Amino acid sequence: GQQVMQIPQYQHVQEGEDFTTYCNSSTTLSNIQWYKQRPGGHPVFLIQLVKSGEVKKQKRLTFQFGEAKKNSSLHITATQTTDVGTYFCAPLVGNTPLVFGKGTRLSVIA
Amino acid sequence: DTEVTQTPKHLVMGMTNKKSLKCEQHMGHRAMYWYKQKAKKPPELMFVYSYEKLSINESVPSRFSPECPNSSLLNLHLHALQPEDSALYLCASTPGGGRYGYTFGSGTRLTVV
């Protein structure tokens, strides 16, 4: 399956600070999905990016897909304690099944 | 109904036991998946069913045996497991193929003793 590098592995932020996680691939991706998994929970689909240079927003979350379709980022503005969890990118090449990046574990200190 | 339902939520089994995990969805999704997740690791793909046929088996040991009796139901039969098989087993579904967001069930937390 498609391998990506997701960084950072961990991020501790003060509530109200911003947070960004990055997903980088050595090959061109068809599309990329992002998931959030709360502690003790299951992955929940957040968004799918398909187009080169695409930017999508969901309230305080901003998702970007690189122009070359080899990297992606998720940015959270003004983190809240409800943002705690692990954020996974999951790249897709062709019609292959979802393969997750290693994830970025976010903790938010109130 | 926009959920994937997994039962049981927790399972403790001995290494000589036979047990089954169940996954059900009523969204009309035609692709269903089993993933295994160890603590602090990403989910790892085990099996893919597409239109009720096994399309991918990611070199999973034969002590794990998947079954798809119909388009709404996916089972994972377990036999002679090892303690290292203890993990969260997640079921997911999509309308078809990998170009849709996956809907995951809440998982079965399996402990092998």
Side-chain angles (χ1 to χ4, degrees):
Chain A
Q2 177 63 33
Q3 298 295 322
V4 291
M5 178 176 294
Q6 192 173 350
I7 54 171
Q9 192 175 357
Y10 303 96
Q11 186 81 59
H12 307 280
V13 299
Q14 204 70 35
E15 189 173 22
E17 290 181 340
D18 292 357
F19 159 77
T20 305
T21 173
Y22 301 90
C23 197
N24 299 307
S25 169
S26 57
T27 59
T28 302
L29 305 172
S30 299
N31 53 16
I32 192 162
Q33 297 181 3
W34 286 90
Y35 290 78
K36 175 183 178 182
Q37 186 172 20
R38 294 180 185 271
H42 57 279
V44 174
F45 174 70
L46 295 177
I47 209 155
Q48 175 167 269
L49 304 172
V50 179
K51 298 177 185 173
S52 167
E54 190 168 16
V55 178
K56 286 188 176 180
K57 293 192 176 185
Q58 290 178 352
K59 297 182 181 178
R60 293 179 295 103
L61 278 60
T62 302
F63 303 85
Q64 294 190 350
F65 203 9
E67 292 289 342
K69 298 183 74 173
K70 289 184 177 182
N71 53 69
S72 181
S73 65
L74 158 59
H75 179 83
I76 302 178
T77 303
T79 55
Q80 300 175 359
T81 54
T82 52
D83 295 324
V84 164
T86 302
Y87 292 85
F88 293 102
C89 66
L92 288 132
V93 176
N95 210 25
T96 57
L98 211 60
V99 175
F100 288 82
K102 291 190 185 299
T104 297
R105 187 169 308 145
L106 172 65
S107 61
V108 179
I109 305 160
Chain B
D1 187 351
T2 58
E3 288 187 345
V4 173
T5 303
Q6 288 188 246
T7 54
K9 293 200 180 308
H10 301 273
L11 179 62
V12 179
M13 62 184 289
M15 289 188 283
T16 58
N17 291 162
K18 285 185 181 180
K19 295 286 184 183
S20 296
L21 310 184
K22 181 179 170 182
C23 173
E24 200 164 2
Q25 57 87 14
H26 297 286
M27 296 178 280
H29 288 180
R30 303 315 301 265
M32 297 183 75
Y33 310 81
W34 281 114
Y35 282 82
K36 172 183 176 179
Q37 186 176 28
K38 302 281 274 185
K40 298 184 181 181
K41 297 290 185 184
E44 293 179 354
L45 183 67
M46 299 176 73
F47 301 105
V48 179
Y49 272 84
S50 180
Y51 290 85
E52 301 157 52
K53 291 194 171 135
L54 182 65
S55 61
I56 293 178
N57 174 340
E58 290 287 304
S59 304
V60 179
S62 59
R63 57 186 185 269
F64 296 91
S65 175
E67 179 197 16
C68 189
N70 59 58
S71 60
S72 300
L73 194 55
L74 189 64
N75 297 320
L76 186 63
H77 303 297
L78 314 173
H79 173 56
L81 294 194
Q82 304 296 310
E84 58 265 27
D85 296 321
S86 299
L88 179 67
Y89 288 84
L90 293 159
C91 175
S93 71
T94 65
R99 296 185 178 273
Y100 302 89
Y102 285 35
T103 302
F104 281 85
S106 57
T108 294
R109 196 161 297 278
L110 174 68
T111 304
V112 181
V113 297

